[in-house]
Amino acid sequence: QVNLVESGGGLVLPGDSLRLSCTGSGRTFDSYAVGWFRQAPGKDREFVGRIAWGSDVKDYAESLKARFTISKDNAENTVYLKMNSLKPEDTAVYYCAAQLDARPNSAYTTTPSKYVYWGQGTQVTVSS
């Protein structure tokens, strides 16, 4: 069992930066990858990015890779999502999730249903 807790959301102005945290407990992430997703009202949950804990391999949604960066702190068992140049369309609930680190096909890393453990989400609102 992996328990995930997100933090760091809030209300920011367009152009601001924000860093979200996802801290795991219950077991280490050694065999897992941690993904970030977001869901805006009335929309499907959207893949943001992913980091493989053991190899440090990172994947990003193509539309976000220029502004968003994922990193991790092994000692803190925490994954971060740094978001720069935020736009109103980035407004959403942001979730972190964990899945076994594998790549059986291209959809595995980006499909929400392939992730086993989920955090409760943290709200990010970008508004002037």
Side-chain angles (χ1 to χ4, degrees):
Q1 181 72 24
V2 176
N3 300 308
L4 302 173
V5 178
E6 302 97 336
S7 61
L11 172 63
V12 297
L13 296 170
D16 281 356
S17 297
L18 200 61
R19 190 181 76 164
L20 306 182
S21 301
C22 171
T23 300
S25 62
R27 62 183 300 170
T28 64
F29 284 138
D30 289 354
S31 301
Y32 288 84
V34 176
W36 284 97
F37 292 81
R38 68 184 185 181
Q39 189 164 21
K43 295 190 176 181
D44 293 336
R45 195 162 294 190
E46 175 188 21
F47 174 75
V48 172
R50 173 188 188 267
I51 184 168
W53 193 265
S55 67
D56 213 32
V57 171
K58 301 171 190 176
D59 301 278
Y60 294 96
E62 193 63 31
S63 62
L64 300 175
K65 64 190 299 183
R67 299 188 293 120
F68 289 15
T69 303
I70 295 175
S71 61
K72 63 180 175 69
D73 184 325
N74 289 8
E76 297 295 326
N77 220 37
T78 297
V79 173
Y80 301 102
L81 176 66
K82 179 72 182 301
M83 305 181 290
N84 296 321
S85 303
L86 283 162
K87 305 175 183 180
E89 50 264 44
D90 294 317
T91 295
V93 178
Y94 283 72
Y95 299 90
C96 65
Q99 64 176 181
L100 288 175
D101 184 19
R103 292 180 182 270
N105 52 62
S106 60
Y108 178 77
T109 59
T110 62
T111 303
S113 63
K114 302 302 183 184
Y115 286 75
V116 179
Y117 304 108
W118 288 84
Q120 83 288 351
T122 185
Q123 176 71 45
V124 173
T125 303
V126 185
S127 176
S128 55

